[in-house]
Amino acid sequence: MIFPEKQNELLLCIGETILGIPAENLGDDFIQEINRYVGLLDDYLIKDLKNLVTMFGSRAMVFMRLFKFKKFVGLSPTDRLRYVKSWGTSRIPLLRTGYTALRSLCGWAYYSNDDHGEELGHLGKTIGREKETPTLLSPQFYPNSPLARGDMK
Amino acid sequence: MIITPETWDKNKEITTDIAIIGSGCGGAMTAARLSEQGYSVIIIEEGEYVSKDDFDQNARNLVPRLYRQNASLGTDDQSIRILQGKAFGGSTTVNWMTSLRTPDWVLEEWAERFGLNEYLPEHLGKHFEMIEKRLNVHQVPDYAISPYNRIILDGAKMLDLHQKVLPNNSKDCIGCGSCGLGCPYDAKQDMRLTYLKDALENGATAYTSTHAYQISPESRDRHIVKATMQNQTIRFQAKRVVVSGSAIMSPLLLQSSGLTKGGQVGKNLSLHPVTAAIGQYDSEMHPTYGIPQSATAEYFDDTGYGYWLEAPDLELFLAGVNFPIIGPQRHEELKKLSKSAVIIVLVRDGADGKTDGEVRWRRGYNKQNGRITLKKVPSIRYRVSPTDRKHLMMGLETAIKIMFSTGAKRVFPFLNPSPELTDISQAPEVHKHPFQPNRISLFSAHPQGTCRMSKGKGVVDETGQMKHYPGVYVLDGSILPTAVGVNPMISILASVSRAIELGNLNL
Ligand SMILES: Cc1cc2nc3c(=O)[nH]c(=O)nc-3n(C[C@H](O)[C@H](O)[C@H](O)COP(=O)(O)OP(=O)(O)OC[C@H]3O[C@@H](n4cnc5c(N)ncnc54)[C@H](O)[C@@H]3O)c2cc1C
Ligand code: SF4
């Protein structure tokens, strides 16, 4: 694992705040995917992301942004969101970079899981299901398609 | 012949006429052209050898295999994410197929500013024709235009903007929407199925999963390329070396090989910076399916710079990563994805005379990301210039207007924070948004220009040969002297084909 287990709660908390999905629904898969994905990056990027997560969760950073002497996980949901947003719109370019990196990482970790596609109305893979999904082979979705009518291959 | 780590015979000393680094547009075209003349050609490709059976439409499996740095490559401050293919076929294996010729006015600009009088429309015409034939380039038929592309045509007509249906390079495409993860139906006529296929049939050999890390010119007719496969070094000895690693990777390889005389390698990076907006409709759009980018609306001012709009297919992960809002509302909004459409705004950058972008190795303190490294690491720096910025925001405004004109109920521009727009009259508000790094989501899939071809100050001459290193050529997107203002695949192929026609690598 790239991130120590004791940061799991922090990672889930960041994911919950950014994505708007309860931590219990993010689950182990979210943590595992973050670790797997980051682990595939170059060493210097792994180090950057580890530093970012640690800094983001720290009391010192929360104090600097919200004047509350608490860690990120100890904040109320409203303050957590305020804190994340304050990174995104900060005048300090580095914090905005951190915001973008965390949003991308969380977005990837949850939505790269095909099982979550259904929640978004995605109808699944087309392979082997070409006529049931919105492809040119499906008369339901493309009534004028010669492929759907079988006029072509 | 294709060599993979599994089929490699452990031969570590290989001699060839031509060693080509990279198998994207530039590498594939060069390999096909030179192998058909009977030269021995070796292609060295860092990415995996992949075929349709690998393309299982699973992002977790494919993104790390097909994209450089897991698709997280970006400028140092992460304000522009840069998508780059890393696989057999290069970026063409994952690209969205739009196949457009370089506009005449761009070629005329090259002649005027860079002395490239051999690249005028009358010279490139036959190359375009030949490429379009080989790649089966054709206009997307009307019945195949997806709902989320149709809105560009309809909306632009209502707003009286120039719009058109786009051509692409496919054969029997079923519009599955997975172009970005490789085509599971072998419908996309990418380099693997066209010019690389030709080269292999002519006897070329491709070393895949093989990373070239050093080029050492010993004389005009003798160069050594060192590469690694499975942590073992292979030495390729070649009469000519062709660097075709892309506009991001080619300058890095040249720099780490010390081939930087002239001081231009890695400079002049153009990106065609992209932003986007997502609109929610009452009807199904299915943006995760369909043929990508089958329509465009465009605006170019009389200097030839401006923007154009397209609608790519939206892989689920791209939607999840890039949806512009955060917080409790985010997932709820994403649940409406099947009734959403995304329009991207692409800008021909360089309107202020040059671009402010550079690719280079860097060590020490980097103030753009706060990183301190003792080891050299790759660095991409880019700033959007004032006029390019204006074009981006004009394009964003137009994209929003198109969405509302075609029935969108709500639109979220990719701004941070993203305002939730509910009426067309709000579209101009995007101009008030602060244009700072990471306050607007920016992307690029079109890096160009970092080894500029020029008769004046540049890296290569009109034949693609490096000015200070005889026998070393650069033939890929990095030689384009300016951003081309259309999706660049066909421009790269045609420029490379023309460079070979002009010089034939001096063989
Ligand atoms: C997602 C996406 C969508 C796109 N959509 C379109 C589109 O619709 N239309 C269009 O015209 N263009 C599109 N493009 C852009 C187009 O595909 C590229 O401009 C074009 O492929 C660039 O060609 P190239 O030869 O410069 O480099 P690439 O095609 O990127 O190929 C470079 C290859 O070199 C390899 N390489 C790099 N360094 C080394 C090394 N040191 N050793 C060994 N191998 C190395 C890389 O792994 C890579 O495979 C898209 C690109 C992307 C990423
Ligand atoms: S949309 Fe067409 S070309 Fe693209 S992956 Fe699907 S079938 Fe292949």
Side-chain angles (χ1 to χ4, degrees):
Chain A
M1 291 294 234
I2 300 294
F3 295 96
E5 219 176 306
K6 64 173 194 248
Q7 282 190 333
N8 285 359
E9 189 191 354
L10 171 60
L11 290 172
L12 285 168
C13 212
I14 298 172
E16 180 174 79
T17 309
I18 290 179
L19 303 180
I21 300 170
E24 58 272 24
N25 295 358
L26 295 174
D28 291 346
D29 179 72
F30 180 79
I31 298 291
Q32 273 161 20
E33 183 55 22
I34 286 188
N35 280 287
R36 186 189 79 101
Y37 181 88
V38 175
L40 293 168
L41 298 173
D42 290 340
D43 288 350
Y44 67 93
L45 295 168
I46 298 180
K47 208 167 113 200
D48 280 357
L49 285 165
K50 285 173 80 164
N51 289 341
L52 169 64
V53 168
T54 304
M55 188 168 93
F56 183 88
S58 71
R59 267 198 189 91
M61 272 317 290
V62 173
F63 184 74
M64 275 166 61
R65 307 303 299 163
L66 299 187
F67 299 109
K68 295 200 171 178
F69 200 64
K70 283 183 177 172
K71 287 184 174 175
F72 177 68
V73 290
L75 294 171
S76 69
T78 319
D79 279 343
R80 283 181 197 162
L81 188 58
R82 216 155 57 88
Y83 177 67
V84 180
K85 284 185 174 169
S86 82
W87 275 57
T89 54
S90 168
R91 272 198 267 176
I92 305 167
L94 267 180
L95 298 194
R96 299 199 304 270
T97 297
Y99 166 89
T100 302
L102 289 174
R103 197 186 72 177
S104 302
L105 188 59
C106 293
W108 166 269
Y110 188 78
Y111 295 103
S112 63
N113 182 339
D114 283 346
D115 295 344
H116 298 147
E118 210 177 315
E119 293 168 45
L120 310 192
H122 181 66
L123 302 176
K125 293 182 182 190
T126 63
I127 300 172
R129 302 173 58 248
E130 288 79 3
K131 293 200 165 159
E132 301 148 47
T133 46
T135 76
L136 294 166
L137 293 173
S138 161
Q140 183 196 338
F141 294 101
Y142 287 91
N144 299 325
S145 162
L147 292 168
R149 293 199 306 259
D151 297 356
M152 285 160 72
K153 184 187 96 154
Chain B
M1 190 177 17
I2 293 180
I3 313 269
T4 66
E6 292 73 40
T7 61
W8 179 39
D9 63 4
K10 308 285 184 246
N11 184 0
K12 293 180 190 160
E13 296 284 339
I14 290 138
T15 303
T16 181
D17 290 333
I18 300 144
I20 300 170
I21 300 159
S23 66
C25 291
M29 173 59 83
T30 310
R33 284 289 153 271
L34 275 300
S35 62
E36 83 192 354
Q37 298 175 44
Y39 292 108
S40 63
V41 170
I42 279 181
I43 304 158
I44 304 165
E45 170 55 57
E46 181 177 353
E48 277 181 56
Y49 173 70
V50 281
S51 70
K52 79 176 165 71
D53 299 333
D54 293 295
F55 304 140
D56 61 2
Q57 301 183 318
N58 180 327
R60 283 193 179 175
N61 171 27
L62 293 170
V63 169
R65 290 176 69 188
L66 302 179
Y67 285 88
R68 188 157 296 280
Q69 226 178 74
N70 295 355
S72 74
L73 186 74
T75 50
D76 291 345
D77 60 7
Q78 286 293 313
S79 63
I80 310 182
R81 181 174 280 230
I82 302 172
L83 295 174
Q84 282 260 279
K86 188 188 82 172
F88 193 53
S91 297
T92 71
T93 302
V94 292
N95 85 8
W96 294 323
M97 304 194 290
T98 301
S99 301
L100 290 163
R101 294 182 178 198
T102 323
D104 289 358
W105 75 78
V106 173
L107 299 175
E108 280 150 16
E109 186 183 334
W110 292 359
E112 202 177 298
R113 287 179 57 195
F114 307 103
L116 296 175
N117 298 316
E118 306 81 357
Y119 283 76
L120 286 164
E122 60 265 35
H123 305 118
L124 287 194
K126 68 171 185 213
H127 296 272
F128 289 134
E129 269 168 42
M130 179 261 299
I131 292 160
E132 286 163 354
K133 191 159 170 236
R134 183 66 190 97
L135 267 51
N136 202 42
V137 172
H138 62 284
Q139 185 144 317
V140 175
D142 188 68
Y143 66 80
I145 296 175
S146 68
Y148 60 89
N149 270 284
R150 178 83 59 197
I151 60 170
I152 294 187
L153 297 176
D154 294 348
K157 268 184 216 150
M158 284 182 222
L159 298 170
D160 216 12
L161 298 166
H162 185 251
Q163 42 76 34
K164 63 183 179 202
V165 175
L166 288 172
N168 76 21
N169 58 320
S170 66
K171 210 181 254 175
D172 301 330
C173 165
I174 66 156
C176 74
S178 312
C179 276
L181 295 176
C183 178
Y185 301 96
D186 269 357
K188 174 161 54 181
Q189 297 302 294
D190 58 38
M191 292 304 111
R192 296 169 312 118
L193 303 185
T194 55
Y195 288 115
L196 289 172
K197 182 167 176 264
D198 297 347
L200 295 172
E201 280 171 10
N202 295 334
T205 302
Y207 281 74
T208 57
S209 303
T210 306
H211 169 70
Y213 65 90
Q214 196 179 39
I215 303 166
S216 314
E218 297 192 339
S219 68
R220 196 187 76 121
D221 287 324
R222 194 182 140 95
H223 305 268
I224 305 296
V225 177
K226 285 192 190 155
T228 51
M229 184 195 272
Q230 291 180 318
N231 296 323
Q232 301 193 54
T233 300
I234 312 180
R235 268 168 53 98
F236 296 92
Q237 185 190 309
K239 287 191 190 135
R240 299 286 181 271
V241 175
V242 180
V243 183
S244 303
S246 81
I248 300 294
M249 299 312 290
S250 290
L252 290 174
L253 175 60
L254 293 170
Q255 289 165 6
S256 51
S257 303
L259 307 181
T260 55
K261 264 189 219 157
Q264 289 294 302
V265 173
K267 300 234 163 91
N268 304 310
L269 172 69
S270 309
L271 287 176
H272 282 169
V274 172
T275 189
I278 184 164
Q280 295 173 340
Y281 290 75
D282 285 337
S283 55
E284 294 290 343
M285 289 283 158
H286 294 300
T288 48
Y289 301 91
I291 299 179
Q293 299 180 166
S294 51
T296 188
E298 59 190 19
Y299 162 83
F300 291 96
D301 64 21
D302 42 17
T303 64
Y305 286 83
Y307 67 84
W308 72 106
L309 309 180
E310 289 173 352
D313 55 19
L314 196 62
E315 308 296 342
L316 273 182
F317 80 88
L318 283 178
V321 166
N322 296 309
F323 195 76
I325 61 171
I326 63 162
Q329 199 194 339
R330 190 177 202 267
H331 190 56
E332 291 310 307
E333 298 298 349
L334 268 166
K335 284 183 181 167
K336 299 170 194 151
L337 189 67
S338 71
K339 292 186 177 173
S340 305
V342 170
I343 295 181
I344 60 172
V345 183
L346 303 95
V347 164
R348 178 177 185 224
D349 47 343
D352 293 300
K354 63 183 174 82
T355 53
D356 181 13
E358 185 177 4
V359 180
R360 69 175 166 104
W361 293 93
R362 203 193 247 271
R363 82 168 124 227
Y365 177 61
N366 180 341
K367 80 168 190 258
Q368 294 218 343
N369 52 21
R371 181 187 299 141
I372 304 169
T373 45
L374 296 176
K375 222 175 91 180
K376 280 189 179 172
V377 298
S379 150
I380 308 172
R381 203 186 47 76
Y382 184 93
R383 281 282 172 267
V384 185
S385 77
T387 310
D388 297 339
R389 191 182 299 177
K390 186 181 90 188
H391 288 151
L392 256 174
M393 297 321 261
M394 281 166 65
L396 189 57
E397 179 186 350
T398 307
I400 295 165
K401 286 183 171 164
I402 284 181
M403 286 178 165
F404 281 119
S405 322
T406 50
K409 294 292 176 277
R410 294 191 309 156
V411 176
F412 296 94
F414 280 32
L415 303 174
N416 163 27
S418 178
E420 178 185 326
L421 308 178
T422 51
D423 189 82
I424 194 165
S425 62
Q426 295 169 308
E429 280 178 22
V430 295
H431 295 282
K432 293 187 200 143
H433 188 83
F435 199 105
Q436 292 169 330
N438 291 302
R439 294 293 305 270
I440 169 167
S441 294
L442 295 176
F443 319 88
S444 166
H446 301 168
Q448 301 151 77
T450 49
C451 298
R452 177 180 273 168
M453 179 185 277
S454 170
K455 296 263 177 71
K457 208 157 125 189
V459 176
V460 299
D461 65 16
E462 68 279 15
T463 69
Q465 182 165 229
M466 288 189 81
K467 296 189 175 199
H468 300 277
Y469 304 98
V472 181
Y473 287 74
V474 185
L475 292 171
D476 62 9
S478 56
I479 63 173
L480 302 177
T482 65
V484 286
V486 290
N487 310 57
M489 169 172 64
I490 300 292
S491 297
I492 299 171
L493 288 166
S495 302
V496 170
S497 179
R498 175 69 176 148
I500 293 170
E501 181 182 58
L502 286 170
N504 209 34
L505 307 191
N506 218 345
L507 282 159

